[in-house]
């Protein structure tokens, strides 16, 4: 589904991604861990072309994407993204938030968009909030709406950048549960998170990033119980 090859990215003179290689197969969940500033956000933003790579290749569903030639709106339909801050439209209802993108970008009919939005809201457990405005929702509910909104574009791949980091602790679980459900349904996902329990339970692969490189990539049991790299061990000792 995703193949990142020899990816490099600098901001000014600072090389933030140094020769990143990562392959994600259909239905796999990859959790990216690493210290703040190690390049996790930049990596997933490059995969979604919110940031433009300097070198290397990004292959999505077998197609090497050329940002100068290819339609990046299409790529971003295939690769959905959920951020730490949900950025829902405040002046639109929950239902309208989820209906908006398919209607504008895909020209889906209002009727069809509504049907699909209600289905997705049911799936994230918020169909009863359809007519409410984001301001009346909890942070966890807002993030679940943001996930439904992203799913409304029918992506094949979902990227999550610290989706629970801005939430009060008691609201983290409901968002993780929604993501677990997506994993069970076979969604291909790359997730940046500090929720190590979630990583252990849900990830097929855990990638540890350090100073712009993937230092170690292994199944969670291996990374957490028997990390090969000293820097992985140091990081885990600090966060676990
Ligand atoms: P992480 O998500 O792991 O915390 P980031 O990918 O956000 O790391 O950042 C990696 C490095 O790139 C950091 O040193 C950060 O300051 C820098 N960086 C990220 N985005 C930009 C930007 N738009 N302009 C300049 N530097 C940036
Ligand atoms: Mg980040």
């Amino acid at each position: 589904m995703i193949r990142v090859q020899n990816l490099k990215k600098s901001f000014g003179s600072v090389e933030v991604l140094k020769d990143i290689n990562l392959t994600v197969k259909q239905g796999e969940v990859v959790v990216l861990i690493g210290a703040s500033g190690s390049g996790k956000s930049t990596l997933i933003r490059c995969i979604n072309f919110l940031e433009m790579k300097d070198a290397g290749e990004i292959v999505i569903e077998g197609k090497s994407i050329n940002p100068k030639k290819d339609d990046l709106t299409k790529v971003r339909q295939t690769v959905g993204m959920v951020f730490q801050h949900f950025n829902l439209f405040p002046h639109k209802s929950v239902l309208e938030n989820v209906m908006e993108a398919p209607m504008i970008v895909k020209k889906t009919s209002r009727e069809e968009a509504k049907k699909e939005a209600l289905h997705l809201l049911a799936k994230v457990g918020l169909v009863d909030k359809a007519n409410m405005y984001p301001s009346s929702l909890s942070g966890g509910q807002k993030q679940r709406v943001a996930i439904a909104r992203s799913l409304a574009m029918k992506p094949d791949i979902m990227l999550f950048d610290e989706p629970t980091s801005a939430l009060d602790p008691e609201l983290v679980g409901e968002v993780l549960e929604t993501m677990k459900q997506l994993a069970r349904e076979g969604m291909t996902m790359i997730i940046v998170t500090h929720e190590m329990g979630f990583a252990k339970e849900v990830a097929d692969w855990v990638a540890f990033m350090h100073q712009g490189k993937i230092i170690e990539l292994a199944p969670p049991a291996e990374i957490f119980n028997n990390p090969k790299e000293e820097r992985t061990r140091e990081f885990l000792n600090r966060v676990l």
Side-chain angles (χ1 to χ4, degrees), residues 40-41 161-162:
K40 306 179 298 295
S41 294
D161 194 357
E162 299 198 31

Side-chain angles (χ1 to χ4, degrees), residues 50-233:
L50 291 174
E51 298 285 358
M52 295 305 153
K53 64 188 165 76
D54 295 332
E57 233 187 328
I58 297 171
V59 183
I60 308 285
E61 297 182 328
K63 187 182 188 317
S64 178
I65 307 296
N66 178 345
K68 292 201 178 72
K69 286 199 195 134
D70 293 315
D71 180 0
L72 294 181
T73 308
K74 277 251 156 57
V75 175
R76 294 191 197 109
Q77 285 175 34
T78 307
V79 187
M81 183 143 173
V82 172
F83 304 89
Q84 183 172 344
H85 297 284
F86 349 97
N87 305 317
L88 298 175
F89 303 117
H91 55 287
K92 288 185 187 294
S93 71
V94 163
L95 181 65
E96 289 164 340
N97 263 278
V98 181
M99 289 168 62
E100 178 87 359
M103 284 172 55
I104 302 279
V105 181
K106 286 191 166 175
K107 313 291 178 210
T108 305
S109 71
R110 171 165 276 278
E111 192 186 8
E112 179 61 28
K114 183 175 176 182
K115 192 171 137 219
E116 181 61 18
L118 286 170
H119 166 73
L120 289 169
L121 286 172
K123 192 170 150 132
V124 301
L126 289 172
V127 76
D128 58 323
K129 306 282 186 214
N131 295 314
M132 303 191 61
Y133 283 80
S135 59
S136 63
L137 302 184
S138 73
Q141 291 170 334
K142 283 182 200 165
Q143 190 59 295
R144 282 147 64 202
V145 175
I147 293 171
R149 183 179 57 175
S150 193
L151 292 173
M153 295 301 281
K154 302 195 195 303
D156 295 333
I157 297 161
M158 287 284 286
L159 309 176
F160 292 84
D161 194 357
E162 299 198 31
T164 61
S165 293
L167 300 177
D168 290 334
E170 74 272 21
L171 303 176
V172 168
E174 64 191 65
V175 173
L176 296 180
E177 196 46 55
T178 301
M179 293 160 66
K180 269 182 218 172
Q181 188 190 327
L182 273 180
R184 280 196 295 267
E185 291 170 3
M187 180 63 82
T188 306
M189 304 198 272
I190 302 181
I191 302 168
V192 177
T193 186
H194 298 293
E195 297 290 334
M196 298 298 162
F198 173 85
K200 276 181 199 169
E201 194 183 332
V202 181
D204 296 296
W205 300 96
V206 177
F208 171 63
M209 281 191 77
H210 180 75
Q211 296 180 354
K213 288 185 181 163
I214 294 177
I215 297 279
E216 189 162 356
L217 174 72
E222 219 167 286
I223 284 264
F224 291 113
N225 301 330
N226 189 21
K228 300 246 176 322
E229 295 288 331
E230 184 55 35
R231 283 164 297 188
T232 313
R233 214 167 300 150

Side-chain angles (χ1 to χ4, degrees), residues 11 16 35-42 51:
F11 290 113
V16 171
S36 175
S38 57
K40 306 179 298 295
S41 294
T42 306
E51 298 285 358

